Amino acid sequence: ANTQAEGLLQEGDVITKISGEKIENNGKIFKSDNLRFNFLHYIDMHQLGDTLVIDIVRKGKAKQIDFPLRDVIKMDYVFDQDPRYLIYGGYVFVATKITEGCLSAEEYKKSIHKDKKDQVRITKVLPSFSSTGTHDIAPMTIDKVNGQQFNSFEDFYCLLSTATTPIILLQDEAGFNLAIDRKVAVSEHKTILERYRIHKSQSKEVDQWEKAGSCSKRNL
């Protein structure tokens, strides 16, 4: 869904050749006994604007498809970018942009997370009173804050920073709940930073949201 392959390739298609090069059952293209390439190499050899010729077998019949390369494939890896993070209650939260997965159009329509921009994970637990007994939960992907889902890192930050409940519940997609005592987390925040020699508890974008008071303007 939402890619240049939609409408050209179908579920169940078996790709047998790319640009005339035969693909073996293990996804390799054999040039000789000692020279083998992953089939993706022959896609990488093309440029935007080129047309890739793909041989497939669809429902038992051989077929050839012209596949125009119109879009740049989005990568999961991000380079030369400062980390997006927030430290709260001894938990280090790191946000990463979500790239489009390989979904069929039908799956995409049914996806409850298609509007989600960022994934927020606990990547490290700094020992403290508020994190006692939870040192082994990382990595944990957060799905809800106090029962509310969020679509962006800013949404997550606002839900966390404006919470007024004594206990903040963070839930993953499997339904596991992590409870944080809000008063304890706030009271020992400075001590945690000093203990672990952490100069900044949040990334620049969080500083900007805080300075602009953006959470008070949002309807979450």
Side-chain angles (χ1 to χ4, degrees):
N2 285 347
T3 72
Q4 58 199 17
E6 189 171 11
L8 293 176
L9 294 176
Q10 299 178 9
E11 184 177 357
D13 286 353
V14 178
I15 301 174
T16 57
K17 290 183 182 179
I18 288 185
S19 297
E21 299 287 348
K22 182 183 177 183
I23 303 174
E24 303 296 337
N25 289 339
N26 62 356
K28 304 289 185 182
I29 293 175
F30 293 6
K31 300 301 290 185
S32 69
D33 289 340
N34 298 319
L35 190 59
R36 304 176 183 185
F37 297 98
N38 187 291
F39 76 94
L40 292 173
H41 171 72
Y42 287 89
I43 297 177
D44 294 338
M45 289 177 65
H46 291 76
Q47 303 294 325
L48 286 177
D50 288 352
T51 296
L52 199 63
V53 179
I54 300 178
D55 285 71
I56 67 169
V57 174
R58 177 178 295 168
K59 296 180 180 178
K61 295 183 179 180
K63 186 174 183 178
Q64 199 169 73
I65 293 176
D66 290 335
F67 195 123
L69 300 177
R70 299 186 300 268
D71 303 323
V72 177
I73 296 175
K74 295 180 181 179
M75 297 183 65
D76 292 333
Y77 300 103
V78 178
F79 303 96
D80 300 323
Q81 178 178 300
D82 291 336
R84 306 167 64 206
Y85 72 96
L86 171 67
I87 298 174
Y88 185 90
Y91 300 99
V92 181
F93 300 94
V94 175
T96 54
K97 283 194 175 298
I98 293 177
T99 55
E100 293 176 353
C102 186
L103 301 175
S104 69
E106 195 62 31
E107 288 171 329
Y108 180 76
K109 289 176 184 176
K110 292 180 179 179
S111 174
I112 61 174
H113 298 303
K114 61 184 177 184
D115 295 323
K116 203 171 183 71
K117 299 176 182 177
D118 296 315
Q119 181 184 73
V120 178
R121 305 176 77 195
I122 296 175
T123 60
K124 190 174 182 61
V125 180
L126 304 172
S128 61
F129 286 113
S130 54
S131 64
T132 300
T134 61
H135 63 279
D136 59 346
I137 66 166
M140 173 182 172
T141 301
I142 309 301
D143 186 52
K144 296 178 182 178
V145 178
N146 281 342
Q148 287 187 263
Q149 287 188 320
F150 56 89
N151 290 327
S152 68
F153 186 31
E154 186 175 1
D155 290 346
F156 170 81
Y157 164 72
C158 288
L159 288 172
L160 192 66
S161 64
T162 61
T164 57
T165 54
I167 301 297
I168 298 176
L169 289 178
L170 304 180
Q171 188 179 91
D172 66 10
E173 290 186 339
F176 171 80
N177 283 294
L178 169 67
I180 301 177
D181 188 309
R182 184 173 59 83
K183 288 185 178 180
V184 174
V186 172
S187 65
E188 66 175 348
H189 182 69
K190 185 177 179 181
T191 302
I192 292 174
L193 298 183
E194 291 175 349
R195 181 186 302 154
Y196 297 103
R197 297 183 176 87
I198 299 171
H199 301 292
K200 280 184 63 64
S201 62
Q202 56 199 34
S203 51
K204 290 181 181 178
E205 62 183 333
V206 183
D207 286 336
Q208 293 168 354
W209 300 332
E210 194 174 80
K211 186 176 180 181
S214 61
C215 292
S216 61
K217 305 171 186 176
R218 299 172 71 85
N219 182 23
L220 293 172

